[in-house]
Amino acid sequence: MKEAKKTVGIVGHPIKHTASPAMHNAAFRHLKMPWSYTAWDVPPARLKSALERLRKSGVAGVNVTVPHKTRAAGYVKKLDPAARKIGAVNTIVFSNPTRGFNTDGHGLVRALGRELRFQPRGKTIAIAGCGGAGQAAAAALALAGARKLILLNRTTSRARALSHRIRSLRPKAAVSLKPEKCHLLINATSLGLRKSDPLPLSLQELRVLQPALFMDMIYRPATTAFMKTMKKQGARTANGLEMLLQQGARAFEIWTGRKAPLEVMRRTLKKEIYG
Ligand SMILES: NC(=O)c1ccc[n+]([C@@H]2O[C@H](COP(=O)([O-])OP(=O)(O)OC[C@H]3O[C@@H](n4cnc5c(N)ncnc54)[C@H](OP(=O)(O)O)[C@@H]3O)[C@@H](O)[C@H]2O)c1
């Protein structure tokens, strides 16, 4: 029987620079599926009505991105365990009831394995930035067995709130709010998107952290100033492209029930972002 046409997409604000449509549409074409992926710019005040409209119009599901991930968790009727623990949703299936997932943490853990051959179990991991991405990273890494998380954020109250959350999520994981020696450092701040941005941590703090591995969640530019600094200090580094790919691949599998064609999606993302 011929497969029915289906639409999925991404809801965010702003949404102009998203590479997700190219990545997913390349996967649909590769698998000869009659699906399409669209981007919808939705300001925060209209999130709920926009999601309702998309559901009623027969859209199969959406990715949710900045600034909607936390509010979207309150919209769905059923949260999968990862989304409930992280407190944010980046993938919605408009089934009955509407279900919410978070594939960012899964994407990060998969990307760390592939890019840096890093497994979180038993490790000490420092995260700079406790916004949405930092929170998802901390929860996923704690659940993946990290021994200790070092949470560093400009607004310290946010780091403190996240530390409480991690302790209730996995009481065995230690949490520190001050720099100390770690295996891996992750940049989950938005600093580095612009050329003029300073590093989120001082050189003094980096000397204390001394990580052998560094991942910047930013993927544009391909090599951030933070990556350059860490390379000079002898660390192996990776940017956020593989994380973007892996979270998207997982969303693809949730919507379609098919294995995501990773290589096609990776190639398309690189072409779309770096030309
Ligand atoms: N590769 C991927 O798949 C992926 C996925 C998600 C996010 N990301 C990237 O991760 C980054 C963070 O995203 P998000 O969703 O977590 O954003 P967010 O919720 O807005 O959080 C921004 C974070 O950056 C910090 N920050 C912003 N400006 C700063 C400054 N001038 N000095 C020090 N800290 C500053 C914030 O600290 P305060 O709390 O003090 O404001 C906060 O921790 C973005 O660059 C995003 O593109 C990548």
Side-chain angles (χ1 to χ4, degrees):
M1 204 172 65
K2 221 173 151 203
E3 195 181 347
K5 279 189 185 171
K6 286 195 181 156
T7 304
V8 288
I10 185 164
V11 170
H13 185 72
I15 200 72
K16 245 195 350 241
H17 298 296
T18 177
S20 292
M23 167 171 73
H24 285 278
N25 285 324
F28 295 143
R29 272 196 305 277
H30 179 76
L31 296 176
K32 301 192 167 43
M33 295 169 68
W35 288 51
S36 64
Y37 188 107
T38 307
W40 292 284
D41 193 324
V42 174
R46 298 220 321 265
L47 178 67
K48 202 167 167 229
S49 59
L51 290 174
E52 264 312 287
R53 195 165 24 84
L54 292 171
R55 185 182 68 78
K56 285 184 183 151
S57 68
V59 166
V62 288
N63 280 136
V64 178
T65 188
V66 178
H68 301 315
K69 291 184 189 179
T70 312
R71 285 191 58 220
Y75 165 80
V76 300
K77 298 280 182 291
K78 209 168 162 211
L79 282 173
D80 92 314
R84 194 172 54 245
K85 285 169 184 160
I86 291 168
V89 154
N90 80 330
T91 302
I92 292 178
V93 181
F94 289 124
S95 47
N96 194 5
T98 304
R99 287 181 299 150
F101 299 81
N102 192 307
T103 69
D104 282 335
H106 164 91
L108 172 67
V109 173
R110 290 293 286 263
L112 288 171
R114 186 175 191 276
E115 297 291 282
L116 297 173
R117 287 190 203 82
F118 177 84
Q119 303 303 329
R121 185 156 300 282
K123 302 292 196 332
T124 298
I125 303 165
I127 302 172
C130 297
Q135 289 168 25
L141 293 167
L143 293 170
R147 190 185 74 79
K148 184 173 207 171
L149 293 176
I150 301 163
L151 306 176
L152 307 167
N153 199 49
R154 174 182 59 178
T155 311
T156 46
S157 58
R158 226 173 171 188
R160 220 173 301 120
L162 180 57
S163 77
H164 295 316
R165 181 164 199 148
I166 296 301
R167 285 195 183 105
S168 65
L169 208 57
R170 187 161 167 267
K172 264 174 126 180
V175 184
S176 161
L177 301 181
K178 281 201 288 286
E180 55 186 275
K181 178 137 181 42
C182 64
H183 298 100
L184 166 74
L185 169 64
I186 298 173
N187 178 31
T189 75
S190 37
L191 288 181
L193 289 170
R194 282 173 308 203
K195 255 196 168 151
S196 57
D197 282 346
L199 296 186
L201 299 173
S202 67
L203 292 178
Q204 170 64 27
E205 288 172 311
L206 293 177
R207 268 194 290 275
V208 176
L209 289 161
Q210 268 184 61
L213 302 172
F214 172 70
M215 174 171 278
D216 201 326
M217 283 200 190
I218 290 172
Y219 46 81
R220 198 188 272 129
T223 308
T224 62
F226 205 169
M227 285 167 70
K228 284 183 195 156
T229 301
M230 297 314 294
K231 266 185 196 165
K232 268 193 214 143
Q233 300 201 358
R236 268 197 300 129
T237 66
N239 70 19
L241 188 107
E242 186 69 18
M243 176 181 171
L244 178 69
L245 166 72
Q246 296 286 352
Q247 64 74 31
R250 181 80 194 103
F252 181 97
E253 291 172 354
I254 289 171
W255 291 321
T256 66
R258 311 231 349 219
K259 196 164 162 26
L262 275 177
E263 210 31 67
V264 170
M265 294 169 85
R266 186 179 288 117
R267 210 171 41 238
T268 308
L269 258 191
K270 283 188 179 163
K271 199 163 154 227
E272 185 71 14
I273 294 171
Y274 306 128

